[in-house]
Amino acid sequence: MEKITVEHLNTYFGDAHILKDINFKVAENTVTALIGPSGCGKSTFLRSINRMNDLIPAFKCDGTLLLDDEDVYAPEMDVVDLRRKVGMVFQKPNPFPKSIFENVAYGLRIHGEEDEDFIKQRVEESLKSAAIWDEVKDKLDKSAMGLSGGQQQRLCIARTIANNPEVILMDEPCSALDPISTLKIEDLIHELKKGYTIIIVTHNMQQASRVSDYTSFFLNGEIIESGRTEQIFVSPKEQKTEEYITGRFG
Amino acid sequence: MSKLTSETIMEKSLFIIALFSCLVILLIISFIFIEAFPAIQEYGIAQFLFGNIWAPNEGQFGVFAMIIGSLYVTFIALLMSVPLSLSCAIFMAEVASSKVRKFLKPVIQTLSGIPSVVFGFFGLILLVPFIRSQFGGTGFGILTAAIILSIMILPTIISVSYDSLRAVPQDYKEASLGLGATNWQTIRRVVFPSALPGIITSIILGMGRAVGETLAVLMVIGNVAKIPASILSPARTLTSNIALEMNYAIGIHYNALFATAVVLFIVIISLLIIANHIQRKYSMDIGGGTL
Ligand SMILES: Nc1ncnc2c1ncn2[C@@H]1O[C@H](COP(=O)(O)OP(=O)(O)OP(=O)(O)O)[C@@H](O)[C@H]1O
Ligand SMILES: [Mg+2]
């Protein structure tokens, strides 16, 4: 089943035409990697899906972007609900300067959850799903700022999971992390695939091939090629894709 | 000359300049204390601090009413100014478009550039008659002075808390909005708590300005050296006490005015210490995660 369907999406920052006629589909419970050189529009695309680009006043877009069969950019779309369903993990770990517990509970609280027992249980589940529970269970009331970068990033994933999203967008989630933390996050992505649809931006080709089922290659605001990850990496159809993944440019 | 020696000369001269500035300040402080000493010795410290009667002609120098006057008027001014200026800072930092922000910033800077005497004059001409017609009495008093002061400290509180709100990393906001929080939830639960140490500092600075302000207060507060019975009663502050009588004070009266300055000094220092303490506690709480 298609979770996300994008047709003829164009986006602009002021006069700059960033994404050009994007067509893209994501099936439920799969991991899709977005690859491409710096500045080609991967983050812009990712942030179009949960409407984070709306924060930039000069942003405009046209075309269709469907989550299930709902039009994300329809005027009646509830952005708050959209962002609950489509969670995001950022490049730099960005926990709040609050306790570990409150970081994970944040999403529940802002969506009006008041049952403390339920919040406690959700926080524990989410920390377990994000494979960080054992490391933090004894210091839930300590500041999240005291965790290592890799732990912070897994905490941010837990925070996203606590909202019970359907889709998780990850924008270079490992770029600020050491190799061991990176492996932990990759394992985590494998686990999460069972319950969530994941789209991940990465500059690391090995990572893309390790974690993803599908890959799309972006270049200058266009999707050059999309397909199953093995196919993209083993027998790309487009010359440019091959040049990029073999490291001949970008 | 080698690079090393020029650098040492630089360091040494900066050190001497810093030392000199500290020395000047110490000199002023010790001068105040020395001049204040005879009055305290002759009149007694308890009587001076807690005495109710200030009557230089009769040799009575109790400043208790002035301490109360200063604290009272400062407290009321903060009560009016803090909510107003914080709302304004939040509006400017988080809600206003960059166009509106570019318009508001210079307006607030201008407000901070207006001299005290103009505020006092404004109070005398407009506010005193207004208070008189609304609430009766003379119109001179705590409330009138507090209103003037609350306007005078607006720019301080607004600009310092605005800066600390703007300094909250964009990352926090994105994380909050990305979880589906509304703008307002993000401000209330993430931006404001992160900026809190800076906001407390802004309030302290405003408080310092309010306690120390002399002329504008003197022009509208009525200057009666008695413990104010109500918010509409005239009163006298520590600063205006000095300014009003320094022209003709001689002998122990002169020393008593310096003693008033010492009290003012101690009041301000203790406010700073309290505020510092609160600030340290809050920033530690953020680090420690009790927010
Ligand atoms: N807020 C903005 N205002 C104007 N232009 C922007 C803005 N954000 C991004 N752009 C432009 O959009 C283009 C795509 O940027 P984007 O961040 O999507 O690239 P990216 O593929 O994520 O790059 P990277 O791999 O370096 O993260 C770039 O040319 C960039 O200059
Ligand atoms: Mg990017």
Side-chain angles (χ1 to χ4, degrees):
Chain A
M1 220 200 96
E2 307 301 348
K3 190 68 192 170
I4 294 171
T5 313
V6 180
E7 277 165 356
H8 305 298
L9 179 75
N10 288 283
T11 73
Y12 310 82
F13 286 123
D15 293 331
H17 191 173
I18 306 293
L19 295 177
K20 295 159 197 147
D21 196 36
I22 299 290
N23 293 285
F24 180 81
K25 277 185 172 46
V26 169
E28 201 159 7
N29 297 346
T30 59
V31 179
T32 304
L34 307 183
I35 58 171
S38 199
C40 65
K42 306 178 297 290
S43 299
T44 306
F45 178 61
L46 211 60
R47 295 163 66 92
S48 300
I49 301 173
N50 64 345
R51 291 186 56 171
M52 284 300 273
N53 283 326
D54 291 14
L55 305 181
I56 297 155
F59 176 78
K60 283 190 309 263
C61 72
D62 55 54
T64 39
L65 204 162
L66 304 179
L67 176 69
D68 295 318
D69 44 15
E70 267 186 290
D71 183 356
V72 166
Y73 282 91
E76 65 274 13
M77 185 66 185
D78 177 359
V79 180
V80 165
D81 190 50
L82 171 73
R83 291 187 187 149
R84 191 196 58 71
K85 284 196 263 184
V86 183
M88 184 159 214
V89 177
F90 297 82
Q91 177 167 359
K92 205 168 128 238
N94 58 352
F96 300 121
K98 297 173 187 278
S99 71
I100 293 170
F101 184 90
E102 283 307 318
N103 261 280
V104 185
Y106 186 85
L108 299 165
R109 294 200 196 281
I110 56 169
H111 290 107
E113 184 58 59
E114 278 170 3
D115 180 350
E116 286 298 323
D117 288 332
F118 176 77
I119 292 179
K120 247 194 192 134
Q121 180 201 337
R122 274 304 291 158
V123 168
E124 181 173 341
E125 282 167 14
S126 310
L127 288 168
K128 279 180 178 156
S129 317
I132 190 180
W133 172 252
D134 289 331
E135 290 156 72
V136 300
K137 62 170 185 268
D138 299 323
K139 48 176 180 180
L140 292 177
D141 57 341
K142 293 271 165 10
S143 172
M145 303 319 245
L147 297 175
S148 74
Q151 289 173 325
Q152 287 188 1
Q153 194 62 302
R154 276 177 288 146
L155 179 70
C156 291
I157 294 173
R159 181 174 70 185
T160 305
I161 294 172
N163 254 346
N164 203 12
E166 296 163 15
V167 178
I168 303 178
L169 309 173
M170 300 185 170
D171 195 349
E172 302 182 44
C174 303
S175 66
L177 306 182
D178 63 279
I180 305 235
S181 307
T182 300
L183 280 181
K184 281 195 182 148
I185 305 249
E186 288 180 9
D187 288 343
L188 178 57
I189 292 172
H190 271 295
E191 272 311 300
L192 294 176
K193 193 170 91 172
K194 293 172 193 152
Y196 307 91
T197 306
I198 297 172
I199 305 180
I200 177 172
V201 172
T202 177
H203 278 284
N204 180 329
M205 294 306 115
Q206 282 82 31
Q207 181 168 70
S209 60
R210 279 194 300 260
V211 301
S212 68
D213 306 305
Y214 298 90
T215 297
S216 290
F217 171 53
F218 278 68
L219 185 64
N220 296 329
E222 291 174 80
I223 293 187
I224 301 294
E225 187 171 354
S226 295
R228 292 203 67 90
T229 298
E230 310 88 85
Q231 179 255 310
I232 296 279
F233 280 91
V234 176
S235 53
K237 294 198 183 83
E238 300 288 328
Q239 170 103 33
K240 283 179 183 149
T241 314
E242 185 176 349
E243 284 172 11
Y244 181 72
I245 57 179
T246 53
R248 259 174 277 161
F249 79 91
Chain B
M1 193 163 43
S2 80
K3 197 163 166 220
L4 200 69
T5 44
S6 80
E7 210 143 287
T8 351
I9 291 175
M10 208 45 199
E11 270 172 31
K12 287 267 172 340
S13 40
L14 282 176
F15 175 72
I16 290 168
I17 292 168
L19 201 69
F20 182 72
S21 327
C22 289
L23 225 73
V24 170
I25 292 168
L26 277 178
L27 214 69
I28 294 175
I29 293 172
S30 41
F31 180 73
I32 295 172
F33 272 83
I34 290 165
E35 291 288 1
F37 188 68
I40 294 187
Q41 199 184 27
E42 199 165 313
Y43 196 66
I45 187 148
Q47 244 191 314
F48 176 74
L49 283 178
F50 302 110
N52 259 336
I53 301 164
W54 177 269
N57 296 338
E58 298 152 27
Q60 299 278 12
F61 301 104
V63 289
F64 191 64
M66 273 79 95
I67 296 176
I68 298 295
S70 273
L71 293 180
Y72 198 166
V73 79
T74 300
F75 179 72
I76 302 293
L78 285 176
L79 215 59
M80 291 189 284
S81 196
V82 168
L84 202 65
S85 19
L86 292 191
S87 317
C88 188
I90 289 173
F91 174 76
M92 279 172 63
E94 300 296 324
V95 185
S97 67
S98 60
K99 232 168 149 183
V100 175
R101 187 179 306 145
K102 279 201 190 97
F103 168 76
L104 279 177
K105 274 205 98 168
V107 170
I108 291 181
Q109 274 157 5
T110 312
L111 192 61
S112 72
I114 299 175
S116 305
V117 65
V118 176
F119 278 105
F121 195 52
F122 163 82
L124 200 60
I125 301 298
L126 287 171
L127 206 56
V128 169
F130 176 78
I131 298 281
R132 187 188 302 141
S133 68
Q134 291 300 307
F135 302 104
T138 59
F140 291 92
I142 299 270
L143 182 64
T144 319
I147 292 173
I148 294 294
L149 272 181
S150 71
I151 300 169
M152 292 178 74
I153 63 180
L154 275 178
T156 312
I157 304 182
I158 292 175
S159 54
V160 177
S161 48
Y162 169 84
D163 286 341
S164 68
L165 287 166
R166 294 289 287 177
V168 173
Q170 187 68 21
D171 292 2
Y172 295 170
K173 284 187 234 171
E174 292 211 334
S176 171
L177 294 168
L179 288 165
T182 60
N183 246 332
W184 176 236
Q185 284 174 322
T186 302
I187 292 170
R188 200 165 66 84
R189 290 172 180 262
V190 176
V191 179
F192 193 82
S194 308
L196 199 57
I199 288 170
I200 293 173
T201 308
S202 78
I203 296 172
I204 297 160
L205 292 174
M207 188 157 72
R209 173 134 202 234
V211 176
E213 176 53 42
T214 312
L215 191 56
V217 172
L218 180 148
M219 288 167 81
V220 298
I221 202 169
N223 300 316
V224 176
K226 262 205 218 146
I227 294 179
S230 82
I231 196 168
L232 294 170
S233 312
R236 187 185 283 197
T237 61
L238 292 164
T239 51
S240 51
N241 190 41
I242 302 169
L244 282 165
E245 301 185 357
M246 65 186 174
N247 277 339
Y248 58 86
I250 42 165
I252 185 174
H253 183 195
Y254 164 90
N255 297 118
L257 291 184
F258 272 100
T260 312
V262 169
V263 175
L264 186 65
F265 181 77
I266 291 168
V267 167
I268 289 178
I269 293 286
S270 18
L271 286 180
L272 277 180
I273 290 171
I274 294 168
N276 242 323
H277 179 77
I278 295 172
Q279 198 187 1
R280 194 151 7 133
K281 183 167 169 292
Y282 270 107
S283 34
M284 237 149 66
D285 281 357
I286 290 171
T290 31
L291 210 80

